[in-house]
Amino acid sequence: MTNSDNPAAGAQFEIDVAEFLRSRGLDLKRGFDADIGVSNIRKSHKFDLGRSAPLVLVECKRHTWTKGGNAPSAKMSVWNEAMLYFSAVHQKARKILVVLRSVRRGETLGQYYLKRFQHLIPDDVEIWEFDSETSQGVLIYPL
């Protein structure tokens, strides 16, 4: 299930992630705007969560393995898009991607993403897996 398949589930995921991050000392606003751009042209982008002082930007992705057990390749491109948005932030910021913990044959979707796309992750981005059942998160990148 994805945000586009079920907007209510995606919205609840953002709320749950915001609460988890609040428990770790980060009080964030939903739908936070920040200027981004890969050149001197800037445009506002709405991050799922964020705050301005100090600047923290969060993208939340509630994606799972497909019903057949395959990686959701189209959804991985959405994660890569988030990496582009993070890399286009010109201010010093804490940048966090939070993904739903989804396990298949002992491997999480987050681990799969790192194995396939780590070369596209900016050095200053953190990736967390969030377990909606336990409301707990684990930092998977960087280790």
Side-chain angles (χ1 to χ4, degrees):
M1 187 175 306
T2 67
N3 286 353
S4 61
D5 295 335
N6 189 337
Q12 186 60 53
F13 184 69
E14 288 178 15
I15 292 167
D16 293 344
V17 167
E19 184 57 38
F20 166 72
L21 293 173
R22 186 175 299 112
S23 75
R24 299 184 63 82
L26 290 174
D27 193 18
L28 306 171
K29 175 184 175 237
R30 289 185 65 210
F32 184 82
D33 287 313
D35 286 342
I36 63 170
V38 295
S39 66
N40 60 352
I41 300 169
R42 305 283 189 268
K43 184 173 181 180
S44 182
H45 173 73
K46 191 175 292 290
F47 287 88
D48 294 327
L49 304 168
R51 77 174 186 202
S52 57
L55 184 59
V56 178
L57 303 169
V58 179
E59 285 289 302
C60 301
K61 303 298 177 201
R62 189 186 181 280
H63 299 138
T64 61
W65 295 98
T66 66
K67 288 182 183 177
N70 297 317
S73 57
K75 301 308 177 191
M76 297 290 95
S77 65
V78 174
W79 294 21
N80 287 337
E81 180 182 57
M83 294 305 129
L84 175 63
Y85 292 145
F86 284 140
S87 67
V89 173
H90 290 269
Q91 298 171 276
K92 181 171 172 40
R94 184 172 179 189
K95 304 165 189 174
I96 305 170
L97 174 68
V98 181
V99 300
L100 178 67
R101 179 174 168 78
S102 178
V103 182
R104 175 203 67 173
R105 290 184 233 138
E107 181 178 41
T108 68
L109 195 54
Q111 291 166 334
Y112 171 83
Y113 179 75
L114 290 174
K115 189 168 52 176
R116 291 282 318 277
F117 298 105
Q118 187 170 353
H119 63 288
L120 298 178
I121 303 170
D123 290 335
D124 60 350
V125 171
E126 300 170 29
I127 300 179
W128 288 75
E129 284 183 330
F130 181 75
D131 187 327
S132 290
E133 293 179 16
T134 64
S135 296
Q136 295 299 308
V138 175
L139 177 68
I140 64 168
Y141 183 87
L143 290 176

